[in-house]
Amino acid sequence: QVQLVESGGGLVQAGGSLRLSCVASGITFSRYTMAWYRQVPGRSREFVGSIASWGTTDYLDSVKGRFTLSRDNGKNTLYLQMNSLKPEDTGVYYCHILDSTFADVWGQGTQVTVSA
């Protein structure tokens, strides 16, 4: 069974930093492009960034230069380093496997709240 478990969220003031983690199980983690998404109530889930198995990254324009994705294939773990946080970064953050086989697999998410 494939599982994704996110952690590391919290309440932070604008300008602060957080590091999110996502541990994956039930898959050969190193084979897959992984991504972070975020969602706020009343809006659809939004792509934040992705990292390919070989390390190539892609980011939502509004987070470029502030957020960094990384991965540790030996630990089956995906990371999201978030710096210079803004109130509009508030939301529930989810990791996801970018493969159609796992389209419906999501973790419980981790809440990030950025106060002004």
Side-chain angles (χ1 to χ4, degrees), residues 7-109:
S7 63
L11 173 64
V12 63
Q13 289 186 330
S17 299
L18 284 173
R19 188 194 196 203
L20 308 184
S21 300
C22 168
V23 178
S25 60
I27 60 168
T28 304
F29 181 78
S30 60
R31 290 183 181 176
Y32 297 99
T33 297
M34 298 295 297
W36 285 98
Y37 286 74
R38 65 188 180 190
Q39 188 169 26
V40 297
R43 296 176 61 180
S44 58
R45 208 162 283 183
E46 175 182 53
F47 171 84
V48 173
S50 64
I51 181 167
S53 56
W54 55 89
T56 301
T57 53
D58 187 25
Y59 296 95
L60 176 70
D61 283 348
S62 62
V63 308
K64 285 180 180 177
R66 300 188 298 120
F67 289 13
T68 303
L69 271 83
S70 61
R71 62 192 296 162
D72 185 335
N73 290 335
K75 295 182 178 180
N76 284 10
T77 303
L78 173 71
Y79 302 100
L80 179 64
Q81 178 67 44
M82 305 186 293
N83 299 328
S84 302
L85 282 160
K86 302 177 180 180
E88 51 264 43
D89 295 319
T90 293
V92 179
Y93 282 70
Y94 300 88
C95 66
H96 190 55
I97 306 163
L98 283 187
D99 185 284
S100 59
T101 305
F102 307 107
D104 296 327
V105 177
W106 296 89
Q108 83 289 349

